[in-house]
Amino acid sequence: MSRTHPTHVLHLTTHLEIGGITSYLGVLAPRLIASGHAVSVLSSGGVAEAALSARGVRCVRDRRLRTKNELHPLLLAAAWRAAHLAGELKVDVLHAHTRVAQMVAALAGRLAGIPVVTTAHGFFRRRLSRRLIDLWGERVIAISPMVARELEAAHGVSSARVRTVANAVEIDELAARTSAMDRPAERRRYGIPERAVVVGSVSRLVADKGHAYLLDAVAALLPRHPDLYVVVFGEGREREALEKRCAAPDLRGRARIVAGAGEAPSFLSTLDLFVHPATYREGFGLSIAEAMAVGRPVIATDIWAVNTILKDGVDALLARPADAASLASKIGLLLEDTALARRLTEAGGRLVRRLCSPERMARETVAVYREALDDAAVRGRVRR
């Protein structure tokens, strides 16, 4: 295969709900299509499916992908389906994004004779499946240098297989669409009081994203800031517990969990302040970049590798992880110091423009696809 020949890439992910992987695909896929490549996505579906389809992405559903268990027997059938789909669509590269999708891609790639690229969107625990089976593919994209180092140190992935490609944000488009939203109407849409000061977060509803600490922090601030309101956008297994916390007396009427929200401009337009309260290390924090792109001041937690990108008091405020009191202190500081909030907003905007070019991300990702194809061809992995 020539290095200049367009590719057809089949992305595999567990779902297309709100989250970093969905945002990643929303930036990458249109850029690939604009460059002449074909893009399909195999997932269990989700709220972002319509938006991707509208941009020329072929979206195919397989409900068997909606599992947390990469050793689930049904994934064998999902892999067979993926291999058949790849053959039907004449796919050149499989690109997997979650550990379940990596398992399916590894099996489907073998069945169909198609090389596999994976993206490490963060740090992976050393699960049994990873110790027994090589799920990384011909090439692994790390979203930051820290993730690349972790792949080699913790998982034994050769540096020759790893390529660092930083995430990107559709900065101008996202900012323009967010500014154009009818903010009062969007707040009504999500049940947010129109005149509230809104603190928000956007991510999967899982324990290590730290939403419980954010809710506790806002509850502590309400006596001093009665107009404060907190909203968390996302889906996940912690939803019921978080909704129960929102209904507690100290938060009732001032907090909400919103599942199945619309696109990023819709929910970002409702926010005055963005908080990313994760308690465990993360590779990049794409939702942080999106918030900065639309001019929202950011508070994040002082975790690796977020703290290698954001500097406390320079382009964001960093709170101690798993510490509601620290989060409350940082939120209170920005609510009361508008000059500081303005400086952080401006610095964050400069940071995201420097780091998050979509064109650069797409160009570097295509180069990884070429390497994977060449490597697979040399080793006889590509079926012709």
Side-chain angles (χ1 to χ4, degrees):
M1 177 174 178
S2 165
R3 287 183 175 271
T4 59
H5 193 284
T7 57
H8 189 153
V9 183
L10 175 61
H11 292 271
L12 296 93
T13 185
T14 308
H15 59 74
L16 291 174
E17 305 295 355
I18 293 170
I21 293 172
T22 300
S23 296
Y24 177 100
L25 291 173
V27 173
L28 177 61
R31 286 296 190 287
L32 294 178
I33 291 169
S35 300
H37 306 283
V39 180
S40 300
V41 175
L42 179 64
S43 76
S44 65
V47 296
E49 197 172 58
L52 286 170
S53 297
R55 292 187 167 204
V57 179
R58 177 169 181 161
C59 294
V60 181
R61 291 186 183 182
D62 189 330
R63 296 292 185 187
R64 291 168 295 204
L65 286 168
R66 192 175 282 269
T67 176
K68 298 292 183 182
N69 180 9
E70 65 266 37
L71 297 176
H72 198 293
L74 285 177
L75 293 184
L76 293 172
W80 184 266
R81 167 90 186 283
H84 179 78
L85 180 67
E88 178 185 316
L89 299 179
K90 295 180 170 55
V91 166
D92 299 296
V93 178
L94 301 176
H95 188 163
H97 297 277
T98 64
R99 66 178 189 273
V100 166
Q102 288 171 2
M103 177 63 78
V104 172
L107 296 171
R110 291 286 181 183
L111 288 168
I114 297 173
V116 174
V117 171
T118 61
T119 292
H121 291 272
F123 301 99
F124 289 87
R125 294 179 175 88
R126 293 194 70 229
R127 297 175 183 271
L128 176 63
S129 60
R130 296 196 176 281
R131 294 196 294 270
L132 296 177
I133 309 169
D134 186 338
L135 300 178
W136 299 109
E138 272 69 27
R139 290 293 183 275
V140 190
I141 294 173
I143 61 171
S144 73
M146 292 70 67
V147 171
R149 288 199 296 270
E150 180 77 358
L151 285 168
E152 186 173 3
H155 298 283
V157 183
S158 166
S159 60
R161 294 167 67 189
V162 180
R163 299 292 179 267
T164 300
V165 180
N167 278 345
V169 176
E170 296 276 11
I171 300 167
D172 293 330
E173 178 187 340
L174 182 60
R177 291 179 62 199
T178 303
S179 296
M181 301 301 296
D182 184 339
R183 180 178 167 104
E186 293 307 305
R187 287 191 168 187
R188 288 193 297 273
R189 174 183 180 181
Y190 298 121
I192 302 169
E194 185 174 334
R195 299 186 182 279
V197 177
V198 181
V199 174
S201 187
V202 181
S203 66
R204 291 178 297 114
L205 306 181
V206 294
D208 60 15
K209 294 298 183 181
H211 301 114
Y213 298 100
L214 173 58
L215 296 178
D216 288 346
V218 170
L221 286 166
L222 278 170
R224 192 164 78 248
H225 297 278
D227 292 334
L228 197 58
Y229 192 95
V230 59
V231 58
V232 176
F233 296 93
E235 287 272 14
R237 58 182 176 271
E238 292 294 306
R239 178 179 173 184
E240 184 176 348
L242 293 171
E243 288 178 337
K244 184 176 180 180
R245 177 67 185 94
C246 289
D250 59 347
L251 275 176
R252 190 176 298 130
R254 309 306 302 172
R256 187 157 186 224
I257 308 300
V258 177
E263 293 184 83
S266 171
F267 49 75
L268 287 172
S269 72
T270 69
L271 305 183
D272 296 297
L273 171 63
F274 184 87
V275 180
H276 190 69
T279 63
Y280 186 69
R281 59 188 183 174
E282 293 199 347
F284 188 81
L286 190 56
S287 62
I288 295 173
E290 291 178 334
M292 288 179 163
V294 303
R296 299 300 186 268
V298 167
I299 295 170
T301 41
D302 191 2
I303 58 172
W304 193 58
V306 170
N307 56 15
T308 67
I309 300 169
L310 305 181
K311 303 305 177 188
D312 186 33
V314 176
D315 34 44
L317 294 183
L318 298 182
R320 290 187 298 274
D323 190 330
S326 180
L327 274 176
S329 174
K330 299 293 185 177
I331 295 169
L333 180 58
L334 284 193
L335 293 176
E336 294 160 11
D337 190 339
T338 56
L340 174 61
R342 185 168 56 253
R343 288 198 303 273
L344 295 180
T345 298
E346 293 169 355
R350 291 191 295 270
L351 176 71
V352 79
R353 284 192 171 278
R354 187 170 73 250
L355 296 180
C356 299
S357 163
E359 290 76 18
R360 182 268 313 150
M361 175 188 174
R363 184 173 60 252
E364 293 175 2
T365 302
V366 169
V368 176
Y369 295 155
R370 302 300 186 207
E371 287 188 22
L373 282 159
D374 288 348
D375 189 44
V378 167
R379 295 188 294 111
R381 275 285 312 276
V382 179
R383 184 179 297 170
R384 287 286 178 255

